[in-house]
Amino acid sequence: EKRGLRESRLLENLNKMVQEANEQMLPTSLEEMSQKLSDISKRLEAANHMAERVQQRELEAQQNTQLQANMEKLKEDWAEFLKEQQRLKEEVDEEHTKAVGELSTRFSEKKKDLAQFSL
């Protein structure tokens, strides 16, 4: 919407410049006509430069918005990753505790068996 308004104003300014040029361009001499065309060309170049600057600012604003959205997405993904890592760590810790318990039980049984054979 802002872009449309800016472009509309720019086009209105260009139209006004063309109308002024048409009103002032009653060619009395080739030299005068050449000077007026040069002035009009400079004004058009300035208007073109202004339009390019407006477009550049809009592009930068759009890129900043996209960058912020990407950063938010990355933060969300990172938080999800950390949650998943915590869940996996808890699973591994639980499995480790179970395995240590089973090994302790087996070791105790083997120790008893060994004690029986030693007698």
Side-chain angles (χ1 to χ4, degrees):
E1 186 174 327
K2 287 182 181 179
R3 183 178 182 184
L5 290 174
R6 287 180 186 150
E7 289 176 356
S8 176
R9 277 189 264 137
L10 183 64
L11 289 175
E12 287 174 9
N13 287 340
L14 287 175
N15 190 26
K16 185 178 176 183
M17 286 177 15
V18 168
Q19 287 176 353
E20 289 175 7
N22 284 338
E23 291 171 3
Q24 294 174 3
M25 275 245 1
L26 297 172
T28 53
S29 70
L30 188 58
E31 202 173 286
E32 188 178 325
M33 188 170 117
S34 175
Q35 178 63 36
K36 287 183 180 183
L37 284 174
S38 175
D39 291 344
I40 291 170
S41 176
K42 288 177 185 175
R43 291 175 75 181
L44 285 173
E45 286 177 15
N48 189 36
H49 180 67
M50 287 182 353
E52 287 175 0
R53 284 185 8 207
V54 166
Q55 288 176 339
Q56 182 64 32
R57 285 187 199 134
E58 288 176 1
L59 179 63
E60 289 171 0
Q62 184 181 21
Q63 287 174 342
N64 284 339
T65 303
Q66 288 175 343
L67 181 61
Q68 288 174 348
N70 288 345
M71 289 299 289
E72 288 301 318
K73 176 73 170 113
L74 286 174
K75 285 179 184 178
E76 290 170 8
D77 290 348
W78 182 251
E80 187 63 32
F81 173 77
L82 290 178
K83 286 178 186 175
E84 180 66 14
Q85 291 303 306
Q86 183 62 32
R87 187 187 65 76
L88 292 172
K89 179 186 178 295
E90 289 170 2
E91 272 184 32
V92 167
D93 288 347
E94 187 179 312
E95 288 177 16
H96 178 263
T97 303
K98 258 188 218 176
V100 167
E102 289 175 10
L103 287 174
S104 294
T105 304
R106 284 186 195 167
F107 181 74
S108 295
E109 290 172 0
K110 296 293 181 187
K111 195 173 182 181
K112 286 179 188 175
D113 290 344
L114 186 60
Q116 285 178 356
F117 289 123
S118 298
L119 295 176

